Amino acid sequence: MTTLKIAAYPGDGIGPEVTAEAMRVLSAAARLEPELHLEFTTLPWGIEYWKQHGRCVPENFLSIVRPFDAILLGAVGWPALLPDHETLWPLVQIRQAFDQYACMRPAKLYRGLKSVLAGKGPAEIDFVVLRENSEGEYVDNGGRLKRGTPDEFAVQTAVHTRKGVERILRYGFEMARKRRKKLTMVTKSNAQRHAYVLWDDILAELAPQYPDIESERQHCDACAMNMVRWPEKFGVVVASNLFGDLLTDLGGVLAGGLGLAPSTNTNPERNFPSMFEPVHGSAPDIAGKGIANPIAAILSGAMLLDHLDHPAAAARIRTAVEETLLSGAATPDLGGKLTTEQMGSAVLANVT
Ligand code: NAI
Ligand code: MG
């Protein structure tokens, strides 16, 4: 019997609403596996914690989370009360401290849903964007000078390391073995000839080590266009931090929208716990109404089980989601009338 210890960090807004459904579905899927037991510990962090303690997480929150096998995050943020850079800061720290350098976001259109792209269906829209999550354009590296004067200027310098680029590409190649055997690396090396040519060089070095995978390079602008006209030509898309951020929003909308889009922050070596979360945020506009779509959170839970080597349980969840969507069950974001809990129950009924 394997017991997986999972830290549930529901967070703010719709985070707790969708995480509750994800935990119900995960527990049901685990019960059907004879050797698997899930043990959830809910961490009451976020804006309510801040109201009592003056901070969103305890001081030693990293050491609290460290012993868990994985983290299931809902969403954080409540901009009316606290600026986002404060509420979201613990997430940034978790990603960095636990070296969660691979951010994986599948863009899979489930059967029963209509894409925003005319003439493209589930057979065409099924790729994964793998975003470098630890360096690149998003390192906190720069400054502003001569503030408030006509000569004011800002400098922000990206950092791309050989180690960082190589490890995300290797992870992408491995993943491509299970997905269309195709890897597309996205940069902008025609315009930025230092950092992104390093990416080009490393891809050229690695490609011969994966002769079973077709690899190619695309510039980010062209890739955005190609994802819209030929989504079927993508398998695994590996991109730097900034470009991955842009392309995952595009992938999300192609695959049916925010209510459905799951993601991971993965430490592939498993030296630390990885974190699994819906792409969406805390959605203050619908929080407390019980109408958020829990599918993104539920599918994030399936990715958690995959990462922890329980693909059968993960597959049960994905199949249940597929059957649920195919049956026409829908929350308001998908044009339906189901509540969050009803949608969770619909999925639960299909977990067999
Ligand atoms: P959001 O993703 O929370 O909401 C955008 C729009 O999508 C809203 O109209 C919302 O109602 C809708 N939506 C989102 N998830 C939905 C779901 N599951 N079902 C149905 N509709 C859904 O993004 P927004 O409004 O820009 O940010 C709100 C807060 O969330 C901010 O504080 C932001 O910083 C935070 N945020 C947190 C993230 C995280 O915890 N990782 C990620 C993104 C945003
Ligand atoms: Mg984004």
Side-chain angles (χ1 to χ4, degrees):
M1 174 69 84
T2 316
T3 298
L4 299 179
K5 292 187 188 336
I6 300 172
Y9 179 173
D12 310 313
I14 64 168
E17 302 171 31
V18 297
T19 306
E21 299 311 312
M23 289 196 284
R24 283 211 293 155
V25 172
L26 259 80
S27 299
R31 272 196 296 276
L32 294 170
E33 303 295 320
E35 296 299 320
L36 177 60
H37 177 67
L38 302 183
E39 193 182 289
F40 288 102
T41 303
T42 299
L43 306 170
W45 300 343
I47 207 74
E48 290 304 320
Y49 190 93
W50 170 81
K51 283 182 191 164
Q52 289 169 31
H53 302 92
R55 46 186 308 149
C56 293
V57 292
E59 200 156 354
N60 61 340
F61 76 103
L62 287 174
S63 54
I64 293 174
V65 174
R66 176 75 182 83
F68 287 93
D69 292 306
I71 305 160
L72 184 66
L73 176 76
V76 299
W78 200 259
L81 284 180
L82 205 60
D84 280 339
H85 65 263
E86 288 198 40
T87 29
L88 271 68
W89 179 235
L91 301 190
V92 177
Q93 286 187 283
I94 287 174
R95 289 181 186 131
Q96 287 176 359
F98 297 158
D99 208 14
Q100 294 168 347
Y101 63 83
C103 172
M104 197 205 310
R105 294 185 172 180
K108 172 182 164 67
L109 181 71
Y110 278 87
R111 287 186 297 150
L113 298 175
K114 208 166 165 287
S115 173
V116 290
L117 295 183
K120 303 288 181 185
E124 285 82 25
I125 301 174
D126 188 7
F127 59 88
V128 168
V129 179
L130 191 57
R131 164 183 170 192
E132 204 296 319
N133 214 20
S134 69
E135 51 177 51
E137 305 86 351
Y138 286 4
V139 291
D140 188 12
N141 184 25
R144 270 171 75 179
L145 278 90
K146 302 194 177 181
R147 281 177 186 249
T149 73
D151 296 326
E152 179 166 8
F153 67 96
V155 182
Q156 180 128 24
T157 308
V159 173
H160 300 260
T161 66
R162 172 169 278 278
K163 181 180 146 193
V165 175
E166 184 173 332
R167 67 185 186 176
I168 195 73
L169 281 172
R170 281 197 188 280
Y171 192 54
F173 272 114
E174 298 293 338
M175 197 181 293
R177 293 205 152 125
K178 289 176 228 139
R179 297 203 138 255
R180 287 185 182 162
K181 299 208 180 300
K182 173 137 184 222
L183 180 144
T184 303
M185 185 184 83
V186 179
T187 67
K188 189 69 185 157
S189 58
N190 54 350
Q192 298 220 313
R193 63 197 184 91
H194 305 298
Y196 297 130
V197 174
L198 173 66
W199 281 73
D200 287 353
D201 290 347
I202 295 173
L203 180 70
E205 288 168 27
L206 294 183
Q209 299 174 31
Y210 301 89
D212 51 325
I213 307 297
E214 178 195 347
S215 59
E216 62 166 9
R217 304 185 323 215
Q218 290 192 16
H219 299 308
C220 189
D221 44 352
C223 182
M225 180 174 69
N226 290 335
M227 270 186 184
V228 170
R229 59 179 179 170
W230 299 319
E232 66 278 11
K233 293 195 180 183
F234 293 94
V236 175
V237 177
V238 181
S240 66
N241 212 332
L242 170 63
F243 299 145
D245 193 2
L246 307 183
L247 293 173
T248 49
D249 270 28
L250 177 55
V253 76
L254 296 184
L258 273 182
L260 301 169
S263 81
T264 78
N265 301 275
T266 311
N267 173 252
E269 291 76 23
R270 301 163 199 232
N271 296 327
F272 301 98
S274 293
M275 182 161 67
F276 301 81
E277 56 169 324
V279 171
H280 64 72
S282 56
D285 55 337
I286 57 167
K289 295 184 180 160
I291 56 167
N293 190 342
I295 299 286
I298 291 169
L299 290 173
S300 302
M303 294 178 85
L304 180 155
L305 290 172
D306 260 337
H307 177 73
L308 296 177
D309 291 330
H310 291 279
R316 276 186 210 281
I317 295 177
R318 271 191 278 269
T319 304
V321 166
E322 178 142 38
E323 284 170 12
T324 305
L325 293 171
L326 200 53
S327 76
T331 40
D333 58 305
L334 299 177
K337 289 200 168 71
L338 295 190
T339 64
T340 307
E341 199 185 331
Q342 287 168 337
M343 191 69 166
S345 298
V347 176
L348 208 57
N350 286 321
V351 175
T352 49

